[in-house]
Amino acid sequence: DGGITQSPKYLFRKEGQNVTLSCEQNLNHDAMYWYRQDPGQGLRLIYYSQIVNDFQKGDIAEGYSVSREKKESFPLTVTSAQKNPTAFYLCASSIEVGGSQPQHFGDGTRLSIL
Amino acid sequence: GESVGLHLPTLSVQEGDNSIINCAYSNSASDYFIWYKQESGKGPQFIIDIRSNMDKRQGQRVTVLLNKTVKHLSLQIAATQPGDSAVYFCAENHTGTASKLTFGTGTRLQVTL
């Protein structure tokens, strides 16, 4: 069954701690994305990757880091520099960036502060 | 449950009626548009898309209308069912420029019995 898998579903972060959110896709898509969703706001782009070993900052990249060592995987690290990390994080993929195909989303990770 | 959708505009519709959800987009250069449905605690689910060379596209129980003159997009859901209750939001893109999707804030659809 093709799709995007995000884990864990819920994650708690202690102050000063880095945490990593996992995103795996088996859709053979080149492009992958990370978004942050806060109540009452549209999705905001954190980072995106057009192809393996490449990634670009989105609109709110500060306090986050990513890697793209494999086509299937695009993990997001929320660092201690991100002072307001509590949010719902969504990973997405698409065939390419800037094309006329939809992005497909995982079911998200809810990050909270302990 | 997931607090996504808090403070969003809400549309209440009786089961069996038709729903119309509207979206105003900002970029006149946008040429590709998508509607997503998001249920509580889940990721957005693709519903239907439309390119700017069309003004109407139909799917199963859903129709998207595009009015480029006033930069307006609407999603019509026929015979609304309780399972349609969710947050709906539109997204726009200017293709071919490596730009990314811009997402609207969404509308909560509540289906009453």
Side-chain angles (χ1 to χ4, degrees):
Chain A
D1 206 23
I4 299 176
T5 302
Q6 290 187 243
S7 62
K9 189 170 177 63
Y10 299 97
L11 186 59
F12 298 91
R13 195 191 89 168
K14 296 179 182 178
E15 197 167 335
Q17 184 182 42
N18 294 349
V19 292
T20 297
L21 285 60
S22 171
C23 177
E24 303 279 331
Q25 55 101 357
N26 60 4
L27 299 168
N28 200 32
H29 285 168
D30 281 322
M32 296 188 74
Y33 312 79
W34 274 105
Y35 292 93
R36 171 179 171 136
Q37 189 172 37
D38 294 283
Q41 297 190 36
L43 301 183
R44 291 186 290 167
L45 182 64
I46 303 172
Y47 268 98
Y48 68 99
S49 168
Q50 298 192 67
I51 201 166
V52 174
N53 293 321
D54 171 80
F55 50 84
Q56 308 291 332
K57 291 182 179 180
D59 300 319
I60 55 165
E62 185 174 351
Y64 300 97
S65 65
V66 293
S67 62
R68 186 87 186 275
E69 297 176 2
K70 298 187 299 182
K71 187 175 186 177
E72 303 79 19
S73 179
F74 190 40
L76 173 74
T77 297
V78 183
T79 74
S80 57
Q82 172 50 246
K83 297 306 178 188
N84 184 24
T86 297
F88 192 49
Y89 290 88
L90 288 160
C91 178
S93 72
S94 65
I95 294 172
E96 59 182 349
V97 173
S100 54
Q101 308 92 19
Q103 292 180 17
H104 298 272
F105 287 84
D107 274 341
T109 292
R110 182 108 186 114
L111 176 62
S112 302
I113 297 297
L114 280 178
Chain B
E2 179 54 56
S3 60
V4 167
L6 197 63
H7 308 309
L8 292 178
T10 298
L11 174 67
S12 289
V13 175
Q14 199 159 15
E15 182 180 6
D17 287 351
N18 297 335
S19 303
I20 300 176
I21 301 170
N22 297 304
C23 177
Y25 64 94
S26 55
N27 186 356
S28 58
S30 292
D31 57 1
Y32 177 60
F33 306 87
I34 309 172
W35 277 102
Y36 286 97
K37 171 187 180 182
Q38 188 174 23
E39 296 175 276
S40 182
K42 294 191 174 182
Q45 176 186 0
F46 169 78
I47 302 173
I48 192 168
D49 57 4
I50 188 169
R51 292 168 178 74
S52 59
N53 60 351
M54 304 172 70
D55 53 19
K56 179 179 180 179
R57 190 168 187 218
Q58 289 184 293
Q60 187 176 10
R61 280 201 310 120
V62 295
T63 301
V64 55
L65 298 177
L66 174 62
N67 185 331
K68 295 181 286 294
T69 302
V70 296
K71 293 187 287 187
H72 184 267
L73 195 66
S74 69
L75 177 70
Q76 300 179 1
I77 304 173
T80 311
Q81 302 168 359
D84 295 327
S85 294
V87 173
Y88 291 80
F89 55 90
C90 63
E92 60 179 293
N93 191 20
H94 182 195
T95 62
T97 63
S99 64
K100 280 64 69 185
L101 285 177
T102 300
F103 294 86
T105 54
T107 297
R108 176 179 296 281
L109 177 64
Q110 288 182 338
V111 181
T112 57
L113 301 178

